[in-house]
Amino acid sequence: MKAIRKQRNCYALLLAVSICLTVWFGVTFVVEAAFALGAISITSFILLVRQSRLLSAASLIWDNRILAVPSANVFTADGQGKNGMEESVVSTFGMLIGSKIYKWGCDGIHGVRLKLVEIDRERMYLTFGDGIQTMRVMLLHGIVEQQKVSDVSQKLWQETGVTVTIIGW
């Protein structure tokens, strides 16, 4: 989340500087530079709005977290995978892996849904998607107490409506 916030702040700074320079070049009648910096201002504004929305979604996930783990592996339906060695947060509304957000349950009945959750002694598997694409995430949870696993599964069921399958406990 820090990386998302830092990038948003950089876009805000770029917007402020480009607006100031656009006004200055406009006042000094350097039209070509004013138009170029105006285009940069518009682009940086669009990027700032996009990054602010991303930060808002990340904050929603962070504030409603159910479980935070040190790393995750993400697999798409075609078997391609990515390792995420940054902290991963599972929430009612999605998952945050470093600065990448996977949302579910936010886009209505036809949006992405959490479909399946399995927990074994070392890993937690989350399967989510819509009618077009399905993704599977493997988290190394590090939970050693059965009560904690039970608490996480109960919270996931209450918050998302998905029954958790517990294997090997």
Side-chain angles (χ1 to χ4, degrees):
M1 196 149 109
K2 289 179 185 178
I4 297 171
R5 186 176 290 119
K6 183 178 178 182
Q7 195 170 16
R8 189 237 10 220
N9 293 344
C10 288
Y11 288 144
L13 181 64
L14 177 64
L15 177 63
V17 168
S18 63
I19 287 174
C20 290
L21 288 174
T22 301
V23 170
W24 184 67
F25 281 126
V27 169
T28 58
F29 300 107
V30 182
V31 178
E32 295 85 11
F35 277 119
L37 286 166
I40 291 172
S41 297
I42 291 170
T43 304
S44 61
F45 177 73
I46 292 169
L47 291 172
L48 176 64
V49 168
R50 190 171 148 250
Q51 199 67 21
S52 293
R53 287 183 180 165
L54 189 64
L55 182 61
S56 175
S59 296
L60 180 68
I61 290 171
W62 185 263
D63 292 342
N64 294 289
R65 65 184 172 264
I66 295 171
L67 180 67
V69 298
S71 67
N73 293 327
V74 179
F75 299 96
T76 59
D78 58 1
Q80 294 182 354
K82 297 183 265 184
N83 283 341
M85 296 310 291
E86 298 119 335
E87 183 178 29
S88 305
V89 175
V90 178
S91 161
T92 304
F93 302 105
M95 184 179 328
L96 177 64
I97 301 175
S99 60
K100 181 70 176 156
I101 295 176
Y102 300 95
K103 293 187 333 183
W104 54 69
C106 296
D107 295 328
I109 195 162
H110 298 293
V112 175
R113 294 273 181 215
L114 183 62
K115 296 178 179 181
L116 178 68
V117 179
E118 299 173 342
I119 300 176
D120 65 19
R121 287 198 173 270
E122 297 175 357
R123 295 174 186 89
M124 173 185 237
Y125 300 94
L126 297 124
T127 305
F128 57 93
D130 55 8
I132 299 170
Q133 182 181 15
T134 301
M135 298 184 81
R136 183 173 172 98
V137 175
M138 179 188 69
L139 304 169
L140 298 171
H141 58 68
I143 302 172
V144 294
E145 300 172 9
Q146 186 174 1
Q147 182 60 41
K148 177 73 173 166
V149 169
S150 180
D151 292 344
V152 167
S153 91
Q154 183 68 22
K155 183 120 177 166
L156 276 166
W157 178 75
Q158 289 173 347
E159 299 289 334
T160 63
V162 176
T163 303
V164 177
T165 305
I166 299 174
I167 304 168
W169 287 87

